[in-house]
Amino acid sequence: ESGCARYVGLPAHHPMPPAAASPLTLVAVAAAAALTAFALRRRQRRPKPPRRDLRPKRDLVGYGSAPPAFTWPNGARLAVNFAINIEEGSEPNVLDGDGVSTAALCECPSDAPPGVRDLAAESMFEYGSRVGVWRVLRAFRSRGLPATAFACALALERLSELAAAVRAGVADGLLDVCCHGYRWEDHAGMREEEEKSRIAQAVASLTASLGAPPRGWYCRTAPSESTRRLLVEHGGFLYDSDAYNDELPYWTQVALPDGRVAPHLVLPYTLCTNDSKFAPGRAFSTAQDFLSFCSAAVDQLLSEAEATGQARMLSVGLHPRLIGHPARIQGLCALLDRLDSLGREGR
């Protein structure tokens, strides 16, 4: 029989009382051991407090039937935001250690096997940074019309001339900057610590390239459940555009780990009035397709604004490797001319 068996309730690692210990000592030691074991068992049985749910909640209602009365500058009934996506050079690429060279939003899908560079896709992205982006920027600058640069930080690190052009556009009041991530990469499946690091890296990079931090954020297509909270925790962001659920800006509440709830502004983006429809198998084939589609949205929103007295907003997404081709840019130029004319009419 082991020595510990003579002292009821003592675990094997508990110090044994001296041989000459009094009965009271033996009882005290046994009681202490029993109470310790009891407390351990209770702690094991006690349910843990529920973990604070920091995930974003769904909102299927929004403004409902009564949107607020927004007031745009100069009494305009419609605000149109053009988002120029600067992604070229930051996309997934075998040269950057990725498993594939993506051909997303290019003229044709990739046929390259995993791990093999797709030089066709690479060169189609290069068209956007070598030719397309300059054609798009000229279209806005020549008309004195503003746009938002949805800029991937790594793209501007690698494109110093373009970074200088964006800085000049900001200085002239023709561009504002929304961070499109450090790279053109998916955030939806990122681990939280990795995403937190990526956000900080993107902000630091754009600040170095442009001389000021970005005020907005937009992921590649879909954020993670943590993205918006991480943006609030990082600080410095006026808004994000990681939502497609409305046409008008709105405030949302972001739950933080310390129990606070922070208000945060969302400026919704859209994949509807977007030149991504020029990608293979999608809706647009010609410049006129783009112009007609976007013009229909303008007409409808102006009609609603004039009927209700409530201002409206429209986002239009642009990708230089798509809209920047000469066969397509005319649709954008015609749309800009029409909007400029409406603006001069005070609409």
Side-chain angles (χ1 to χ4, degrees), residues 222-272:
S224 75
E225 289 188 320
S226 303
T227 302
R228 185 164 289 157
R229 172 173 54 82
L230 292 175
L231 296 176
V232 173
E233 290 175 358
H234 183 280
F237 289 99
L238 178 63
Y239 70 92
D240 76 61
S241 290
D242 282 328
Y244 309 94
N245 55 3
D246 214 307
E247 296 165 358
L248 294 171
Y250 63 87
W251 289 98
T252 189
Q253 302 295 315
V254 179
L256 300 176
D258 61 7
R260 293 181 299 123
V261 176
H264 181 73
L265 183 64
V266 178
L267 299 183
Y269 186 50
T270 184
L271 300 180
C272 181

Side-chain angles (χ1 to χ4, degrees), residues 155-321:
L156 292 188
E157 283 183 20
R158 292 174 167 173
L159 299 166
S160 57
E161 185 182 8
L162 181 54
V166 173
R167 286 197 302 271
V170 172
D172 295 339
L174 294 177
L175 288 175
D176 66 284
V177 179
C178 176
C179 183
H180 197 13
Y182 181 68
R183 298 185 62 191
W184 195 52
E185 60 188 349
D186 294 324
H187 276 241
M190 278 189 186
R191 292 177 294 103
E192 183 170 320
E193 285 305 310
E194 179 187 10
E195 185 174 23
K196 181 178 180 179
S197 174
R198 274 301 212 223
I199 291 170
Q201 185 180 19
V203 172
S205 173
L206 282 180
T207 302
S209 294
L210 302 177
R215 302 301 305 278
W217 176 277
Y218 173 65
C219 288
R220 176 184 175 176
T221 310
S224 75
E225 289 188 320
S226 303
T227 302
R228 185 164 289 157
R229 172 173 54 82
L230 292 175
L231 296 176
V232 173
E233 290 175 358
H234 183 280
F237 289 99
L238 178 63
Y239 70 92
D240 76 61
S241 290
D242 282 328
Y244 309 94
N245 55 3
D246 214 307
E247 296 165 358
L248 294 171
Y250 63 87
W251 289 98
T252 189
Q253 302 295 315
V254 179
L256 300 176
D258 61 7
R260 293 181 299 123
V261 176
H264 181 73
L265 183 64
V266 178
L267 299 183
Y269 186 50
T270 184
L271 300 180
C272 181
T273 43
N274 194 300
D275 71 351
S276 61
K277 288 183 166 59
F278 278 119
R282 300 193 186 183
F284 296 162
S285 295
T286 69
Q288 186 61 42
D289 291 339
F290 176 83
L291 175 61
S292 297
F293 193 83
C294 293
S295 293
V298 170
D299 290 342
Q300 178 63 30
L301 293 172
L302 277 177
S303 175
E304 292 176 8
E306 290 167 358
T308 63
Q310 295 173 323
R312 294 292 193 261
M313 180 174 172
L314 174 67
S315 292
V316 180
L318 304 173
H319 298 78
R321 62 188 179 276

